[in-house]
Amino acid sequence: MIKFDFKTYVKPFIDENKFNELYSKKNEYIDKLNSLDMIGWTKEIDKNIISSIEKTRDYIKSNFDCLVVVGIGGSYLGSYSFHQAFKKYFNDNSFEVIYAGTTLSSKYLDELYEYLKNKNFCVNVISKSGTTMETNITYSLLKDLLKRKYTQDEIKRRIIITTDKEKGNLRKEVNEEGYISFEIPEDIGGRYSFITPAHLLPLSLNYDINKIVDGYYDGKRFIDNAFEYACIRKLLFDNKKQVECFTVYEESLYYFTEWLKQLFGETEGKNNTGIYPTSMVHTRDLHSLGQFVQEGNKILFETYIKIDKTNNYIKCNNEDLHTINNIVEDSVMRAHFSGSTPCIEIELDELNEENLSQLIYFFMLSAAFSGLLFGVNPFNQPGVEVYKKEVKESLNK
Ligand code: PA5
């Protein structure tokens, strides 16, 4: 269950008439969204895809000890952040999934290469375009390692490609080599691809993806809340609150805030507008950015993700620690509000797979509405191409 509080610590920063006027356009914005091409993520996933993912999961589990996922941005953050949210901090005994492809660090890739030398691993390359530099470099390093260890037939058993149905180099390679492959549908972009094999295959190794899929579509009932959140964010922005800080109280949700930054950053940040997304993990960051939020430049609003109950019951001086953490969260919200920072609160009754999947759908819907409220195309990222072009030119010099 998810509860939203868009009012308690927000009201004084928003003109109620302006809110009512904007919110009254809800149906117009729903129609606008539905008229766009890239909304495959709002449609039901084919059950046959779930079965093929489960078949491949069984194949991976019974043949290999480790899956190396190669992808970046929207092609990795969804499943990575989900896994980080649930895996154990210590003595984690989940099936080993290594996420590579997000860095050109020689140190990281050299150490990964060494580590994999003695591992029985397979690789899942995830790239819709098939042209992403970081993904391609990491994939060729891993292929090089596979070539040193195995025959061509064995290599074929160890590569799984998730890419566009028809376009790009990776699809060409699948057609030539006969690798196991999955499709990222044409009408779904990277950061909106949570409910595709790009994320469901890596997640299937450790989670019941049926629960994830059910939870995700259950998120549809929050459409009004998603539009309300988008309206409030836009009105806060118009009121000079141009930075949104996603604040969590559970270290394991740090990467979920990274997913949120990517989702909102790439969706809204274009045409010289958009809210700049950042994040804090409390209470750690109360001892760093907390000072800025309380007394610094008043450019920020916060969106808290609160977890009401936990199964990890631990007492400190006869007080339940989770209760203490939540009391701290409520107190911090009041303190930041008193320092002119609006605070939005989103509360999950507990952190479980269904709730997090619902929340993912809620945020994707809000991000898409926000893009439309800012008058930009929510589903492209032309700015990212600029750096790619520069890099390409420099490397080809
Ligand atoms: O959200 C997006 O579309 C991007 O972040 C992409 O996912 C990212 O650039 C990776 O692209 P690709 O999947 O084509 O390798």
Side-chain angles (χ1 to χ4, degrees), residues 189-307:
R191 60 192 171 276
Y192 290 85
S193 66
F194 183 72
I195 211 67
T196 72
H199 302 277
L200 293 177
L201 176 61
L203 286 176
S204 71
L205 291 157
N206 290 303
Y207 304 92
D208 178 351
I209 55 170
N210 292 293
K211 276 191 188 171
I212 295 177
V213 169
D214 290 348
Y216 175 87
Y217 290 114
D218 207 18
K220 287 190 172 202
R221 62 199 164 95
F222 298 122
I223 186 161
D224 291 357
N225 309 88
F227 188 68
E228 188 176 351
Y229 176 49
C231 292
I232 285 170
R233 295 174 78 256
K234 177 69 171 62
L235 293 171
L236 288 172
F237 174 89
D238 294 343
N239 198 12
K240 300 195 167 50
K241 302 292 184 189
Q242 305 198 337
V243 177
E244 176 172 28
C245 181
F246 294 103
T247 303
V248 292
Y249 269 70
E250 183 64 61
E251 187 76 38
S252 69
L253 287 176
Y254 169 69
Y255 275 96
F256 190 66
T257 68
E258 289 294 297
W259 177 78
L260 286 167
K261 286 188 230 171
Q262 195 235 352
L263 176 70
F264 282 95
E266 281 195 343
T267 295
E268 279 174 11
K270 45 201 87 149
N271 292 357
N272 302 315
T273 189
I275 295 167
Y276 181 80
T278 182
S279 68
M280 282 200 280
V281 178
H282 285 180
T283 59
R284 183 188 74 194
D285 294 337
L286 289 172
H287 300 263
S288 64
L289 288 177
Q291 170 62 36
F292 189 100
V293 178
Q294 193 66 50
E295 295 185 335
N297 193 339
K298 299 297 163 198
I299 50 175
L300 266 141
F301 67 96
E302 283 183 282
T303 296
Y304 283 76
I305 300 173
K306 184 175 175 183
I307 313 293

Side-chain angles (χ1 to χ4, degrees), residues 110-368:
D110 187 29
E111 289 180 15
L112 175 69
Y113 199 95
E114 277 304 309
Y115 178 73
L116 291 174
K117 270 184 182 164
N118 299 317
K119 279 263 165 190
N120 176 20
F121 70 98
C122 66
V123 178
N124 181 199
V125 186
I126 307 169
S127 174
K128 186 166 183 197
S129 62
T131 59
T132 303
M133 175 189 59
E134 295 86 341
T135 308
N136 288 344
I137 288 179
T138 310
Y139 178 35
S140 54
L141 281 171
L142 294 175
K143 247 200 299 199
D144 175 76
L145 178 58
L146 287 171
K147 277 184 191 151
R148 283 166 193 257
K149 288 178 73 169
Y150 303 111
T151 62
Q152 194 53 36
D153 282 348
E154 186 55 30
I155 293 172
K156 280 190 188 173
R157 293 180 63 242
R158 290 171 185 264
I159 293 177
I160 301 164
I161 306 272
T162 305
T163 189
D164 187 86
K165 188 176 172 191
E166 286 164 4
K167 289 182 254 165
N169 285 344
L170 288 173
R171 180 54 62 194
K172 195 164 160 255
E173 198 177 326
V174 169
N175 294 339
E176 284 165 10
E177 303 291 345
Y179 299 145
I180 299 177
S181 79
F182 289 92
E183 289 167 16
I184 302 176
E186 203 176 355
D187 58 355
I188 303 184
R191 60 192 171 276
Y192 290 85
S193 66
F194 183 72
I195 211 67
T196 72
H199 302 277
L200 293 177
L201 176 61
L203 286 176
S204 71
L205 291 157
N206 290 303
Y207 304 92
D208 178 351
I209 55 170
N210 292 293
K211 276 191 188 171
I212 295 177
V213 169
D214 290 348
Y216 175 87
Y217 290 114
D218 207 18
K220 287 190 172 202
R221 62 199 164 95
F222 298 122
I223 186 161
D224 291 357
N225 309 88
F227 188 68
E228 188 176 351
Y229 176 49
C231 292
I232 285 170
R233 295 174 78 256
K234 177 69 171 62
L235 293 171
L236 288 172
F237 174 89
D238 294 343
N239 198 12
K240 300 195 167 50
K241 302 292 184 189
Q242 305 198 337
V243 177
E244 176 172 28
C245 181
F246 294 103
T247 303
V248 292
Y249 269 70
E250 183 64 61
E251 187 76 38
S252 69
L253 287 176
Y254 169 69
Y255 275 96
F256 190 66
T257 68
E258 289 294 297
W259 177 78
L260 286 167
K261 286 188 230 171
Q262 195 235 352
L263 176 70
F264 282 95
E266 281 195 343
T267 295
E268 279 174 11
K270 45 201 87 149
N271 292 357
N272 302 315
T273 189
I275 295 167
Y276 181 80
T278 182
S279 68
M280 282 200 280
V281 178
H282 285 180
T283 59
R284 183 188 74 194
D285 294 337
L286 289 172
H287 300 263
S288 64
L289 288 177
Q291 170 62 36
F292 189 100
V293 178
Q294 193 66 50
E295 295 185 335
N297 193 339
K298 299 297 163 198
I299 50 175
L300 266 141
F301 67 96
E302 283 183 282
T303 296
Y304 283 76
I305 300 173
K306 184 175 175 183
I307 313 293
D308 188 31
K309 290 188 187 62
T310 175
N311 290 330
N312 297 100
Y313 189 67
I314 172 165
K315 276 193 163 190
C316 181
N317 299 332
N318 281 334
E319 290 280 354
D320 165 34
L321 194 55
H322 190 68
T323 309
I324 296 176
N325 204 12
N326 280 344
I327 291 173
V328 172
E329 175 161 2
D330 293 341
S331 315
V332 171
M333 253 191 292
R334 283 196 302 277
H336 288 181
F337 174 71
S338 74
S340 287
T341 300
C343 300
I344 292 166
E345 189 182 41
I346 298 177
E347 184 182 300
L348 309 187
D349 57 348
E350 59 179 304
L351 184 59
N352 59 34
E353 286 103 304
E354 290 93 333
N355 277 347
L356 198 63
S357 308
Q358 277 180 20
L359 196 60
I360 285 173
Y361 190 87
F362 162 80
F363 275 122
M364 281 175 15
L365 207 47
S366 322

